[in-house]
Amino acid sequence: MPHLALPTLTGFLRAQGVNVIQRDLNIEVFENVLTRSYLEQCLHKLRELYGPAANRKPQGQPAAPYEQVAWALGQGSAIAASVEQAKQTVRSAAFFDGPTGREAIQTIVQALEIASLPFYPSALEVGTYRSALPSDSSKSLLREVRDPHMNMLIEIYRNTVLDDIKHEQPDLVGISIPSMAQILPGLTLAALIKDSGLPCHITVGGPHMTMLRERLARNPSIFTLIDSVIVFDGEIPLLRLCQSLRSGVSGLRVGGAKREADAADYLPVEAGGVDEGQAHALDHIPNLIYRSHDGSIRVTERKEPEKIGSLPMPDFEGLPLDRYLAPELVLPLLSARGCYFGKCAFCNVGYGEAENVSLMQGDVLVEQMLTLRERYGVRQIFFSDEALAPRLLRDISQRMQQEETPMLWGGCARFEKPIVAPLLQQMYTGGCRMILFGLESASEQIMKRMVKGTQLEHMHRILNESTQAGIWNHTFFFFGFPGETIEDAQQTVNFLYEHKQHVHSAAFGTFLLEVDAPAHRYPKSFGISRVVEQPDRDLAIYFDYEVSEGMDNPMAERIADSFLNALPDKPYPQFYMNDVYRFLYACELSRRAQAPQPWLMPIMD
């Protein structure tokens, strides 16, 4: 499934007359790596580094474990020969055949491990990219973006996207960096563009960069890779930046003809800074951080976000929608900007600023869904919202019920009192196949401490009634919120086992103290006695901490590990790997008229 940032920005810019080329480098990297030729090249590199018997230490880089290298050299040729068939299987209905899909995913996982070994300890995985050095350290990032021994993306980008960017000669290259795992890939491409001498302006944005906004303003070194950062919502700032470049007002890149504004998932660059006259020109662009000619970092005024109802629908044209590693296309949509509740102490929605929540009208949202079906043949929509409001759940369901064949959909929701059995039944009839509920904890004391705003009586009822309606219930929960005791954690475990018939999948872990969450901004109010900041982690968004009462993080980790180890094995774990696979599996089961299977109970092969 493509990330929604690019289609949203592309739709807005194209509606304003900006020529945009959008590229999803996530799937392009997988396409490049998961081929026989690429894997055979990686095996050749491994033999050069470690010797044909895997008994030699590589020079100038960390050594991977002998067992991993020996396995790769022994099994690699067979995996390389089967990887392209495995991709075809994952992209077909054969994925839903348990043994067939399991074998295909296993081949892909093993292929990615082989591809990563020459760059150990970096690793490209199905769900993420793990860099060799800490991604929350500017010193580490600046080193790794140009180190071909640790960074496998340098060669891939140089051989693929860089030539295309040179050919297009864009005025602006925009990079969406939604998470910490994407910052190294994004800045790698930026460094390549800068080193190539292309005189384009490089801007980065996305949730992760917004979380880093205060730290970036104190860190000029990152602006040797990029020209500017757009924080918070990017439609108007990106348009203004394009207009400035088009007119030559900023002087950063002016040609005889306007070039494409290239929106891509990865991109960063080395900038020389903006001179004094140009600096004033950029000051009219809101939500912008950039380095001026004197080396100082300038931060422009924040603009209130556009209301979601005033924006054009996302534009997916140009993305390789048939290349995603899934048996059927799923497209994302957003029904709201912000969270209509927005008070949870562990969540940094709004990034520490006052939120301006805006909700789309249900009929407009459904028209977007139907337009996407007509335009791209998509049958499933996954809502990327923090939480779908009960009113929208009702409106979508009512409108979809009128369709001869409703589109299938899923998304996140809160355990709210208005979500009752008739609504859940209506939701299923109107196409809802999965709801991802924020459980977090089943201890009333901890729910109050984290300002969750939900009640146990509704959590009990909704899980039961949702299951009766035929909906797949996914839950999020974690251990170790400040003040939580072992007894509190046990209440959550007891709740889950009490509802083992009504929980079909889950994602869990331990509490993370995230930048700008209420627990980070007001730690003592939530039982945190000290926030530990490490000077070398100058781009951190997660922090160690000490609590005045309750479990510490190591104890929470032990409880989470114990819970994980007690889970029953799944014969076909590929169906539970990520939200898209779970959602598509839920849709497939409904087409077969089969009920979702309980997560905490053994499943027969």
Side-chain angles (χ1 to χ4, degrees), residues 368-418:
Q368 289 193 0
M369 296 170 69
L370 297 176
T371 299
L372 291 176
R373 179 168 68 179
E374 180 180 354
R375 189 171 295 172
Y376 304 110
V378 64
R379 298 195 296 171
Q380 290 91 197
I381 296 293
F382 193 89
F383 290 104
S384 300
D385 298 72
E386 297 288 339
L388 289 161
R391 175 182 65 78
L392 277 168
L393 294 173
R394 183 195 66 234
D395 292 349
I396 296 169
S397 305
Q398 287 179 342
R399 178 66 178 82
M400 272 297 166
Q401 281 182 312
Q402 301 171 18
E403 293 293 309
E404 182 176 347
T405 305
M407 295 188 72
L408 304 186
W409 53 276
C412 297
R414 288 169 46 81
F415 286 110
E416 298 276 26
K417 182 178 179 180

Side-chain angles (χ1 to χ4, degrees), residues 512-528:
L512 294 173
L513 183 59
E514 191 170 31
V515 67
D516 288 333
H520 175 247
R521 294 173 68 85
Y522 313 104
K524 295 191 183 303
S525 299
F526 296 97
I528 297 173

Side-chain angles (χ1 to χ4, degrees), residues 490-560:
Q490 187 63 52
Q491 290 181 46
T492 300
V493 173
N494 293 346
F495 177 92
L496 290 162
Y497 275 94
E498 181 182 350
H499 291 281
K500 62 184 178 182
Q501 295 280 5
H502 309 137
V503 175
H504 308 110
S505 60
F508 66 95
T510 59
F511 170 69
L512 294 173
L513 183 59
E514 191 170 31
V515 67
D516 288 333
H520 175 247
R521 294 173 68 85
Y522 313 104
K524 295 191 183 303
S525 299
F526 296 97
I528 297 173
S529 56
R530 187 168 79 99
V531 177
V532 181
E533 296 209 31
Q534 302 178 38
D536 58 329
R537 300 295 177 89
D538 56 341
L539 298 178
I541 62 167
Y542 300 113
F543 305 95
D544 292 333
Y545 59 93
E546 296 175 0
V547 294
S548 55
E549 58 180 332
M551 296 186 292
D552 58 14
N553 189 257
M555 176 58 74
E557 292 281 1
R558 287 197 289 272
I559 291 175

Side-chain angles (χ1 to χ4, degrees), residues 323-501:
R323 297 288 87 192
Y324 288 90
L325 292 173
E328 193 166 349
L329 179 63
V330 178
L331 289 180
L333 276 179
L334 201 62
S335 75
R337 287 216 156 162
C339 177
Y340 70 88
F341 183 72
K343 300 175 184 177
C344 298
F346 53 83
C347 181
N348 71 346
V349 63
Y351 311 112
E353 300 287 341
E355 273 208 284
N356 289 280
V357 179
S358 60
L359 277 68
M360 190 177 294
Q361 294 296 317
D363 57 343
V364 175
L365 189 62
V366 172
E367 286 305 314
Q368 289 193 0
M369 296 170 69
L370 297 176
T371 299
L372 291 176
R373 179 168 68 179
E374 180 180 354
R375 189 171 295 172
Y376 304 110
V378 64
R379 298 195 296 171
Q380 290 91 197
I381 296 293
F382 193 89
F383 290 104
S384 300
D385 298 72
E386 297 288 339
L388 289 161
R391 175 182 65 78
L392 277 168
L393 294 173
R394 183 195 66 234
D395 292 349
I396 296 169
S397 305
Q398 287 179 342
R399 178 66 178 82
M400 272 297 166
Q401 281 182 312
Q402 301 171 18
E403 293 293 309
E404 182 176 347
T405 305
M407 295 188 72
L408 304 186
W409 53 276
C412 297
R414 288 169 46 81
F415 286 110
E416 298 276 26
K417 182 178 179 180
I419 300 179
V420 293
L423 173 58
L424 290 161
Q425 292 286 349
Q426 184 182 64
M427 287 164 57
Y428 184 85
T429 306
C432 179
R433 292 298 179 266
M434 173 183 280
I435 292 293
L436 298 85
F437 288 108
L439 170 67
E440 323 309 356
S441 172
S443 163
E444 288 191 292
Q445 173 185 320
I446 298 305
M447 290 160 62
K448 290 177 182 177
R449 287 183 72 114
M450 61 175 60
V451 200
K452 181 63 185 171
T454 50
Q455 290 80 43
L456 273 175
E457 61 176 305
H458 300 311
M459 293 158 61
H460 285 288
R461 175 185 58 78
I462 291 170
L463 284 174
N464 180 33
E465 293 173 349
S466 180
T467 300
Q468 295 303 314
I471 296 171
W472 179 301
N473 295 323
H474 180 85
T475 61
F476 300 102
F477 63 94
F478 58 86
F479 301 107
F481 188 79
E484 183 178 45
T485 64
I486 294 176
E487 291 74 22
D488 292 320
Q490 187 63 52
Q491 290 181 46
T492 300
V493 173
N494 293 346
F495 177 92
L496 290 162
Y497 275 94
E498 181 182 350
H499 291 281
K500 62 184 178 182
Q501 295 280 5

Side-chain angles (χ1 to χ4, degrees), residues 125-169:
E125 300 171 352
V126 172
T128 192
Y129 181 80
R130 290 191 290 108
S131 55
L133 302 175
S135 292
D136 55 3
S137 162
S138 61
K139 182 179 179 181
S140 296
L141 283 172
L142 290 169
R143 173 186 170 189
E144 194 169 354
V145 294
R146 291 189 172 96
D147 190 328
H149 300 295
M150 290 189 289
N151 189 343
M152 67 187 297
L153 298 170
I154 294 175
E155 181 181 4
I156 294 173
Y157 288 167
R158 184 179 286 126
N159 294 336
T160 56
V161 67
L162 185 61
D163 284 343
D164 293 338
I165 294 174
K166 289 179 179 178
H167 174 74
E168 295 294 342
Q169 290 287 303

Side-chain angles (χ1 to χ4, degrees), residues 248-253 273-283 290 293:
V249 171
S250 73
L252 292 176
R253 168 111 175 46
V274 182
D275 70 27
E276 187 174 354
Q278 296 159 357
H280 293 296
L282 293 185
D283 279 345
Y290 66 95
H293 185 68

